[in-house]
Amino acid sequence: MRRCRVMGGAATSASPSVGSDFGSNMLWFYTDDAPSLKISPTIVLVITLCFIAFVAALHVFGKIYRAKAGAGL
């Protein structure tokens, strides 16, 4: 993040309004009025853990398959 140097008092009055607009826009995503799918953090955690388990199972099955395919040669 770049910071600009403030040389006078006039430049400082413009910077808080930019920051407050950004903050209000970011908070809009987390309100009940946001047009999005409402998922609780618990559901996100469960889905994430299921995805990690699925990827780990694919790794295990891949190693078993490669070991069986190599034994036949």
Side-chain angles (χ1 to χ4, degrees), residues 1-72:
M1 185 169 127
R2 264 179 31 186
R3 291 187 180 193
C4 59
R5 292 184 183 177
V6 177
M7 296 295 177
T12 58
S13 64
S15 63
S17 65
V18 173
S20 64
D21 288 343
F22 177 72
S24 65
N25 287 340
M26 285 302 293
L27 289 176
W28 183 77
F29 286 111
Y30 299 104
T31 62
D32 290 335
D33 298 333
S36 63
L37 183 64
K38 306 294 190 270
I39 300 177
S40 71
T42 306
I43 299 299
V44 173
L45 180 65
V46 169
I47 291 172
T48 303
L49 292 176
C50 289
F51 176 75
I52 292 171
F54 179 71
V55 171
L58 285 178
H59 281 284
V60 170
F61 292 142
K63 291 206 180 261
I64 291 172
Y65 178 74
R66 194 177 341 150
K68 286 186 179 182

